[in-house]
Amino acid sequence: MKPKNLPREIYNPFTNRTRKGRFLLCKRLKLRPDNYLEEYCADLEVINIMAPIRPAEEAERCPQPSLSEEQEASEYLVARCKKIRTSDYMLFSSDALIHIASDSKASEKYTWLGERLRLTFKMMRSDSRLIRTMCHSHGLMQCSSKNPQVNVIWMGAPVKSVKMRELMPWQRLNQFPRSTELTKKDRLYENIERSKSIFGEAYDFIPEFYVTPRENQKMEIAFDRVLKEVTAAGGELCFPGEFIVKPTNSRQGKGIFFANSMADIPAEGPLLVSRYLKDPYLVNNHKFDLRIYVAVTSFYPLVAYVYSEGLARLASRPYDTSASSADSNEYVHLTNYSINKNSTSFVRNESMSSEDLGHKWTLGALLRYVENEGKDAKLLMLRIEDLIVKSLLSIQNSVATASRTTLRFACTNFELFGFDVLVDQALKPWLLEVNLSPSLACDAPLDSLLKTRLIADLLNLACVPLLDKKIIDSVTPALRKSMNASQDSETSDPDELELDPKCAKTLKRRPVGLKRSVLTKKIVSGNTSLIPNTEKKFDQILRKVELEEGRRGDFIRVFPRNGTWGMYSPVMEDLGSDDFDERLFAEVITKKNMKNSSEQIATSSSSSSSSHSTFSSSAFSSMRIEEVSDLFHDVMMECSKYPSLADVPIEVREIISPWYEEASEYTKKITQDGETYASKLPTIRSTARLRTKSCAEFYEVRKVQMAKKKEAEAVAAKENEPVVLQAVAAKRVV
Ligand SMILES: Nc1ncnc2c1ncn2[C@@H]1O[C@H](COP(=O)(O)OP(=O)(O)OP(=O)(O)O)[C@@H](O)[C@H]1O
C-alpha cells in the first residue's frame, strides 16, 4: 500500500529542475502565488494588455519572503517576481506530451500551473487532436465553444469580426481579422498582383493567373497568346496543360484540373486559372512542393517568423510531361499528400531514423539533397523568406485597417500560416497558396515530432498570460463596461464607470492576498481608460516582441531583423503617420545594434583592428540605400543571374550574410541518431482530459452520434455491396 504523506516531487516548470517539495510545500505554493498575483494586479496596466513586465526598480519592491522552511518556494517566487519575465506567461513544451498518456506524477510538472490558475481553451470549427493534446498536457481545461471566458481560442475557420471585438486582453486567438486576404487563393493572387503593379518586379513570385468568370475575356486572350508562342517556337502545348485550374476555396487538391483552351473551362466559378509551372526542380525525378510554417504575431507593425522545420511533399510517380502518363496525371503533377497517399506507388515515411524516406521528407532533408547537388540551398531559403515577407506586406494594409476597428487590445492575436511553395529548375521559389489552418494531422512519425514542436513554439510566441481566473472574473465586468463605453467613447466620462454588482461582490470576497485597494484604485475609479490608445498599443507590441525573442524556440524572425527596414521600406505601402514598422525597427534592431557595437568597442578598445559593423562597410556607404534595396530585390527574384551567395553583389551580400548564416537552421536534421520518438500522438489520460461540464456533455453526444453514423455506414455498405458488385460486373461487360 502506498504510505501516507509520501513526498512527491514537484518541478519548477520554468527551470525543469526537480523541486524537493512536499504536499505541504505544494500547499504553500498554492497560497503563495496570490502574493505574486497581488503584484500582478498592482501593475494593472496589465489589464490593458497581458501579463506585467516590471521595470527593474519595481521588481525591487517585490515582497521578499523571509527565509523559512519553505525557502525554496520563496526563492522561486522571488525569482519570478524579479527577473524571469517569460514566467509571466505559460511555457509550452513538446516534452509534456510524453507523460500525458500514463504517468500522472511525471506530467504534473507541466500541468500544475495551468490547473492551479484554471486556464482554459476552446476549439471552434476545428477538432485538431494536436491542439487538444498540447493544451491538456499543460493543464488547460477545455470549454464548450459557447464559453466566452477562455484563455486560448483555436479557430479552424475564419472568425467574424464581431467576435474579435469581444476579445479580452488576456485572451489569445489564432487569427487576425481579414487574414483571408492571404488564405483565399484568388484574393492572395490579386493582392500580390496589386503590389506588383505598385512596386514592380520585386513581387514577381506568383504564376500568371486569371479568376473566372470575371476575367474570362482576358483569359481567352492569354490562351491564344500561349498557343501562338508555343507554335512559333516550334513546340507543342504542354501536357497535361499550359494552365492549372483550381476552385478558389477548395483544399487538398480537390477539384483541380488542367486546361489548354477556353473550352476546358466550365462556366461556373469562381476558379483560379494559373499558368502551369512545367519545369519544377526534381528530387530523384519526382516533383515536390514545400510546406513552410509561418507565424505572425502582429501585422502592424509586421512581426513574422518562419519555422526552421518544414515538410517536402513529393509526387508519388516520376515527373513526365508526355501524354503517356495521362492515366495517373494527379500522382505525377500534384504533390498533395491527401491525393498521393491513395496512389499504389506512395511510400509512407514510417521511420524515425530517416528524414528522406518515401514521399514525405523534412524540409532539412530536401535542402541537404539540394546542397548535395551543388546548389545553394540557403540562398533558396532566403528567397522563400523574401516571398513570405512580401506576401504578408501585400495584405498588411487590409489587416491593419480591419484591426484598428476590430481589436481593442494589442497582442491578443497570432496566426499560423502554411505557405505552399514550388521550386523551379532555376531554384526560384513560386508561391502556390497560403493555408489558413495548415493541417496538424500527425499521420507519420515525422509529422508528430515536427508538429508538436511547432505548436509548442507557436503557443509560446503567443504569450498566454498566467492570470488567475479569480482575477479575470473580478475585472471582467468592469472591463466589459469600459469596452462598451468606449464605443460611444470620447464623450463618456470614465469616472462614471461603475463596478458591476457581481464584480463588487467578488472584490468583497477578494482572492487571498489580493489588495482590494489596488483593484479599486485602478479599475473601479476608472481614472484611466481601460482601452489602450494607439500609442499604448505600440508600446505593448514592442514589449511583446522583445519577450518573443526569448520564447521563439525554432522560429526564425524574418521581419523585422537587421537590414529589413532599408531593404523593404521601398516596397511597403504607406500606412499612415504612425510609422509603426519604422519605429519598431528602430527600437528592436537599431538600438540593439548600437548597444552591441558600443559593447564591442568597449571590449576591443585596446585592439587596433576594430571589427567593422554591418552598416559601416565602405561598399555599403558608396551606394544609396534605395539602390541597394533595388539590387536586393533583383537578387531575390533573378535566380539564374545570382545562383549562389558568391554571385551576389557585395553591397547586398553584406546585408544578407547574417540571414544566410541563420538559414543553416533550415538544413539541420530534426532527429538525433540513436533517439527514439513517439510514432503518434498519445491518448490523453482521462483524468488529464479536463473539460467543463458542458464540453464533456458535448463530447458525449458526439461520441454517440459518431457511433451511430459508423453503424449506419456499415449497414449501408452491406446493403450496397451486391449493387456495387453488379455495377462493376456490368462495367466490365461493357
Ligand atoms: N501553377 C502551378 N504549377 C505547377 N504545379 C502546381 C501549380 N499550382 C498547383 N500545382 C500543384 O498542384 C498541387 C495543389 O495545388 P494547391 O496547393 O494550390 O491546391 P490545394 O487544393 O489548395 O492544396 P492544399 O490545400 O492541400 O495545399 C500543388 O501541391 C502543386 O503540386
Side-chain angles (χ1 to χ4, degrees):
M1 214 179 88
K2 203 172 157 190
K4 274 185 183 169
N5 298 331
L6 185 79
R8 291 170 71 188
E9 285 185 331
I10 298 181
Y11 293 81
N12 175 340
F14 305 108
T15 61
N16 265 359
R17 223 163 30 95
T18 315
R19 307 185 60 78
K20 297 209 174 53
R22 308 285 181 263
F23 268 132
L24 236 183
L25 181 56
C26 183
K27 270 190 184 164
R28 291 281 174 183
L29 271 174
K30 281 186 177 172
L31 289 174
R32 288 287 187 177
D34 288 319
N35 275 348
Y36 155 71
L37 290 169
E38 183 180 329
E39 281 299 307
Y40 221 109
C41 282
D43 224 353
L44 256 181
E45 247 193 290
V46 169
I47 298 304
N48 278 347
I49 37 159
M50 40 185 195
I53 298 165
R54 290 182 198 84
E57 69 277 10
E58 208 166 317
E60 299 301 316
R61 285 191 269 118
C62 281
Q64 307 277 323
S66 59
L67 296 181
S68 64
E69 54 176 339
E70 295 85 32
Q71 194 179 357
E72 252 194 306
S74 311
E75 276 169 11
Y76 164 57
L77 287 166
V78 173
R80 289 190 61 178
C81 288
K82 268 195 167 171
K83 58 175 188 292
I84 309 176
R85 291 162 57 158
T86 47
S87 64
D88 289 329
Y89 304 90
M90 193 70 188
L91 269 183
F92 291 86
S93 160
S94 56
D95 292 347
L97 274 71
I98 298 171
H99 310 289
I100 203 66
S102 49
D103 192 347
S104 66
K105 227 170 90 182
S107 68
E108 199 174 309
K109 72 169 172 174
Y110 299 104
T111 55
W112 79 272
L113 195 58
E115 285 177 25
R116 162 78 184 93
L117 297 177
R118 284 174 289 167
L119 299 183
T120 51
F121 75 101
K122 69 176 175 184
M123 293 169 60
M124 293 164 81
R125 302 187 62 190
S126 160
D127 199 19
S128 165
R129 246 192 88 197
L130 175 55
I131 299 296
R132 238 184 307 135
T133 312
M134 183 63 72
C135 288
H136 282 312
S137 302
H138 291 85
L140 272 75
M141 179 184 279
Q142 186 173 7
C143 298
S144 88
S145 59
K146 296 197 176 69
N147 194 331
Q149 294 219 12
V150 291
N151 300 80
V152 178
I153 307 167
W154 189 269
M155 284 291 309
V159 186
K160 286 194 181 123
S161 50
V162 241
K163 288 274 165 233
M164 289 207 197
R165 283 183 73 82
E166 289 162 12
L167 277 178
M168 289 296 196
W170 50 81
Q171 294 185 314
R172 295 293 179 264
L173 169 71
N174 69 324
Q175 218 171 89
F176 280 94
R178 296 274 283 278
S179 60
T180 46
E181 288 291 311
L182 198 65
T183 55
K184 270 196 80 199
K185 289 186 177 71
D186 52 341
R187 293 301 304 138
L188 167 73
Y189 276 48
E190 282 164 351
N191 282 316
I192 292 172
E193 190 66 13
R194 196 179 56 89
S195 297
K196 193 174 168 185
S197 69
I198 305 171
F199 303 111
E201 295 305 303
Y203 280 80
D204 181 27
F205 53 84
I206 50 162
E208 174 189 347
F209 74 97
Y210 303 91
V211 181
T212 73
R214 61 172 181 266
E215 293 183 326
N216 276 359
Q217 254 181 2
K218 270 195 197 168
M219 197 164 56
E220 198 166 356
I221 298 170
F223 277 127
D224 289 344
R225 192 199 71 227
V226 170
L227 182 64
K228 271 187 203 145
E229 277 169 12
V230 173
T231 43
E236 284 178 11
L237 285 177
C238 149
F239 180 84
E242 290 288 343
F243 287 83
I244 182 167
V245 189
K246 311 171 210 174
T248 53
N249 49 12
S250 80
R251 309 186 51 179
Q252 304 188 323
K254 285 179 196 140
I256 295 184
F257 58 94
F258 297 89
N260 265 332
S261 72
M262 278 308 278
D264 300 328
I265 308 290
E268 59 274 7
L271 297 167
L272 178 78
V273 181
S274 59
R275 194 71 195 264
Y276 186 59
L277 303 164
K278 52 189 171 197
D279 294 318
Y281 193 87
L282 301 179
V283 166
N284 301 329
N285 210 24
H286 287 248
K287 179 177 171 177
F288 70 91
D289 78 345
L290 299 174
R291 166 58 56 87
I292 310 286
Y293 297 99
V294 175
V296 178
T297 55
S298 164
F299 259 98
Y300 186 53
L302 180 65
V303 183
Y305 298 83
V306 175
Y307 204 54
S308 64
E309 299 165 9
L311 290 170
R313 294 149 331 163
L314 277 68
S316 51
R317 300 233 174 139
Y319 194 63
D320 184 358
T321 47
S322 68
S324 59
S325 63
D327 54 356
S328 55
N329 230 339
E330 50 186 1
Y331 303 140
V332 177
H333 296 279
L334 305 187
T335 47
N336 307 64
Y337 166 71
S338 43
I339 289 183
N340 283 282
K341 69 179 179 189
N342 303 320
S343 157
T344 48
S345 359
F346 185 76
V347 179
R348 272 173 198 281
N349 188 344
E350 299 286 6
S351 141
M352 276 314 306
S353 56
S354 172
E355 296 181 20
D356 55 359
L357 190 99
H359 294 110
K360 198 189 256 188
W361 291 14
T362 58
L363 173 66
L366 190 285
L367 296 175
R368 290 193 295 275
Y369 176 96
V370 172
E371 274 180 345
N372 282 341
E373 296 223 314
K375 303 277 171 22
D376 196 336
K378 285 192 258 176
L379 189 57
L380 165 67
M381 281 313 297
L382 293 199
R383 289 186 165 123
I384 292 178
E385 289 176 352
D386 175 68
L387 73 77
I388 288 168
V389 169
K390 284 171 182 163
S391 309
L392 296 170
L393 289 176
S394 75
I395 66 154
Q396 191 185 26
N397 198 355
S398 308
V399 179
T401 312
S403 301
R404 253 178 230 126
T405 52
T406 310
L407 305 179
R408 307 294 190 85
F409 303 96
C411 311
T412 48
N413 300 55
F414 64 100
E415 192 151 357
L416 178 72
F417 297 104
F419 277 66
D420 288 352
V421 174
L422 192 105
V423 180
D424 72 12
Q425 295 270 342
L427 235 59
K428 177 176 168 77
W430 295 87
L431 180 62
L432 296 184
E433 67 153 348
V434 181
N435 289 277
L436 169 83
S437 51
S439 163
L440 297 178
C442 297
D443 297 347
L446 275 185
D447 283 317
S448 319
L449 180 63
L450 190 155
K451 291 174 186 174
T452 46
R453 288 182 189 175
L454 167 74
I455 292 304
D457 289 345
L458 176 76
L459 291 174
N460 285 334
L461 272 186
C463 296
V464 177
L466 292 173
L467 205 50
D468 194 294
K469 194 163 179 301
K470 287 174 201 163
I471 308 288
I472 291 178
D473 289 346
S474 309
V475 298
T476 297
L479 195 57
R480 280 225 186 280
K481 271 198 170 175
S482 179
M483 283 161 79
N484 292 340
S486 85
Q487 266 169 353
D488 12 75
S489 72
E490 273 80 57
T491 51
S492 71
D493 178 3
D495 279 335
E496 280 176 14
L497 205 68
E498 262 178 39
L499 194 65
D500 185 285
K502 232 168 112 190
C503 179
K505 216 172 145 194
T506 319
L507 283 178
K508 232 175 173 179
R509 295 183 285 102
R510 64 188 189 277
V512 189
L514 179 65
K515 266 190 208 146
R516 193 183 326 169
S517 57
V518 174
L519 279 176
T520 323
K521 205 170 85 206
K522 297 263 186 160
I523 297 184
V524 185
S525 71
N527 53 8
T528 51
S529 168
L530 298 178
I531 312 294
N533 60 22
T534 323
E535 272 310 303
K536 216 166 192 176
K537 277 186 187 170
F538 176 77
D539 289 344
Q540 290 161 357
I541 292 170
L542 172 62
R543 282 190 279 166
K544 184 158 175 274
V545 174
E546 287 167 350
L547 194 68
E548 285 166 8
E549 185 52 28
R551 299 172 59 92
R552 65 185 167 83
D554 289 326
F555 277 105
I556 295 173
R557 195 174 68 212
V558 294
F559 200 93
R561 67 175 164 184
N562 248 328
T564 49
W565 179 249
M567 294 305 100
Y568 287 96
S569 57
V571 297
M572 285 167 72
E573 280 179 57
D574 187 359
L575 299 192
S577 55
D578 303 329
D579 296 328
F580 276 1
D581 282 301
E582 189 174 2
R583 286 170 56 194
L584 188 75
F585 183 84
E587 293 288 337
V588 175
I589 310 293
T590 317
K591 272 194 184 163
K592 195 173 140 202
N593 284 341
M594 278 159 62
K595 203 173 145 223
N596 286 349
S597 55
S598 62
E599 274 169 15
Q600 259 180 22
I601 290 166
T603 51
S604 65
S605 55
S606 54
S607 129
S608 53
S609 59
S610 68
S611 58
H612 65 257
S613 105
T614 322
F615 299 100
S616 61
S617 92
S618 52
F620 186 78
S621 58
S622 69
M623 259 179 121
R624 283 191 313 122
I625 187 76
E626 292 81 6
E627 290 166 342
V628 182
S629 167
D630 284 349
L631 193 55
F632 165 78
H633 294 295
D634 197 46
V635 168
M636 289 295 118
M637 294 299 126
E638 296 299 330
C639 304
S640 314
K641 201 165 149 194
Y642 310 102
S644 72
L645 188 68
D647 303 300
V648 174
I650 179 77
E651 297 83 354
V652 175
R653 203 183 326 147
E654 284 215 333
I655 290 165
I656 65 174
S657 286
W659 308 357
Y660 189 84
E661 261 169 48
E662 210 170 1
S664 313
E665 292 296 314
Y666 297 113
T667 57
K668 280 189 183 153
K669 276 188 86 172
I670 68 167
T671 52
Q672 278 175 19
D673 296 335
E675 280 280 322
T676 49
Y677 300 93
S679 60
K680 54 183 179 29
L681 285 180
T683 308
I684 313 162
R685 220 175 334 111
S686 55
T687 48
R689 210 179 297 132
L690 305 175
R691 282 176 178 152
T692 58
K693 205 169 154 236
S694 55
C695 182
E697 280 167 8
F698 167 80
Y699 270 92
E700 276 311 308
V701 172
R702 243 181 71 139
K703 222 163 116 185
V704 174
Q705 280 172 349
M706 296 286 279
K708 276 188 184 161
K709 200 175 153 196
K710 258 193 176 164
E711 228 170 71
E713 276 171 7
V715 172
K718 244 186 177 174
E719 278 171 4
N720 288 340
E721 215 168 297
V723 182
V724 174
L725 286 179
Q726 275 167 25
V728 171
K731 225 176 170 181
R732 278 207 195 113
V733 171
V734 172

